[in-house]
Amino acid sequence: MERRLDAWLSNLGYSTRKDAKKFLKQNDLTVNGVKQKYPSFKAKHEEILLNGEPLDPENILILMNKPPRTICSHKDDGALIFNLLPARWAFRIPKVSTIGRLDADTTGAILISDNGELNHKLTSPRSSVSKVYEVTLADPLKGDESDIFASGELMLKNEDKSCLPAKLTIINDKLVHLEIIEGRYHQVKRMFAALGNKVEKLHRVSFAGLTVEDLKEGEYKFINIDDIK
Ligand code: URA
């Protein structure tokens, strides 16, 4: 789609629309190899190079291995997950957000996108997206946890609907994988709390079939929307 250069620059967060003229003076922007300095000039995304580089993608969909002590919110002060992304992405229109949230101390797979429709689809209560967590427990398993989680009858404190069946895979008596298809508030911690145990460490191994084992903490990679299960 053809757009004015000032629209590309402001929507992708490089400059405000107002400052686009100054930005084009201070940077080398070419359209099909020809330098352009007028904000009103129209071009397609793929025709533009900025200082010799393609523009950031029109759509953002990334998978990050969330580090600990980072917050999935735009509102809080402090160590926001968004601070790990290029600074200009904070000014993109539409806004870049996490798809669902992980607690500040939880690490692992989190999708970040500017696609509101996809965000809604993957986080709606009917979406049944698989999330696999590696859970380190404070106390050893008692032995009945797998059956209780699988039963679909576990009630969480202050809720009136039981959890959907979840699959527990035991690695050792204090380390498990738990697969859930819901996304209730603090769900994994509350599921173990309901059985009298405590989660010491929580890492999301995969979200919608996407794993972060190839990413270091804080690293991210672009994802194709078709790779989401
Ligand atoms: N369940 C939790 O308790 N915390 C998370 O961050 C994710 C799932």
Side-chain angles (χ1 to χ4, degrees):
M1 191 214 308
E2 274 200 343
R3 283 194 174 163
R4 287 169 57 117
L5 295 179
D6 54 2
W8 283 122
L9 293 173
S10 62
N11 288 355
L12 300 179
Y14 289 96
S15 126
T16 61
R17 223 167 160 132
K18 194 165 139 261
D19 288 339
K21 196 167 173 192
K22 199 163 93 197
F23 183 91
L24 287 169
K25 250 191 211 156
Q26 291 168 345
N27 290 273
D28 179 47
L29 186 148
T30 61
V31 175
N32 292 323
V34 181
K35 190 168 165 62
Q36 298 295 341
K37 57 179 183 173
Y38 293 112
S40 60
F41 192 85
K42 285 189 174 167
K44 292 186 185 144
H45 183 273
E46 65 270 23
E47 296 171 336
I48 303 172
L49 288 182
L50 179 58
N51 301 321
E53 303 281 338
L55 294 177
D56 289 339
E58 282 189 74
N59 306 111
I60 297 286
L61 178 57
I62 59 169
L63 176 72
M64 183 186 277
N65 184 358
K66 178 188 171 298
R69 296 174 296 281
T70 48
I71 302 163
C72 296
S73 159
H74 285 288
K75 288 190 196 112
D76 288 85
D77 297 328
L80 305 186
I81 193 168
F82 303 105
N83 295 346
L84 299 167
L85 305 174
R88 61 177 173 271
W89 287 15
F91 305 103
R92 285 180 63 110
I93 306 160
K95 214 175 162 80
V96 172
S97 311
T98 60
I99 297 189
R101 286 186 179 193
L102 291 174
D103 299 337
D105 55 352
T106 303
T107 57
I110 183 109
L111 283 174
I112 299 174
S113 171
D114 58 359
N115 184 334
E117 199 185 323
L118 179 73
N119 194 330
H120 179 73
K121 243 192 207 163
L122 294 178
T123 54
S124 97
R126 285 176 303 282
S127 69
S128 301
V129 170
S130 159
K131 296 130 195 150
V132 179
Y133 293 88
E134 182 178 270
V135 190
T136 308
L137 295 163
D139 299 316
L141 293 168
K142 293 174 194 149
D144 55 358
E145 292 85 351
S146 299
D147 290 343
I148 297 174
F149 288 159
S151 71
E153 287 171 12
L154 179 71
M155 293 296 287
L156 300 182
K157 205 172 165 191
N158 301 327
E159 294 207 14
D160 52 13
K161 248 179 118 186
S162 58
C163 291
L164 290 174
K167 188 175 163 206
L168 192 72
T169 306
I170 298 170
I171 299 164
N172 64 47
D173 67 357
K174 282 191 178 181
L175 186 66
V176 297
H177 279 187
L178 180 65
E179 181 180 18
I180 58 175
I181 55 167
E182 302 172 276
R184 303 188 194 192
Y185 182 64
H186 292 332
Q187 180 161 348
V188 176
K189 292 176 185 166
R190 291 168 70 217
M191 285 174 76
F192 281 99
L195 303 186
N197 210 328
K198 188 169 180 281
V199 172
E200 293 256 280
K201 217 166 133 200
L202 192 56
H203 173 76
R204 187 151 72 187
V205 176
S206 70
F207 179 89
L210 301 166
T211 64
V212 288
E213 59 205 3
D214 55 334
L215 297 171
K216 295 201 189 95
E217 282 183 355
E219 279 186 352
Y220 60 87
K221 62 180 176 187
F222 283 88
I223 293 291
N224 197 323
I225 201 162
D226 304 326
D227 294 335
I228 295 176
K229 299 206 181 76

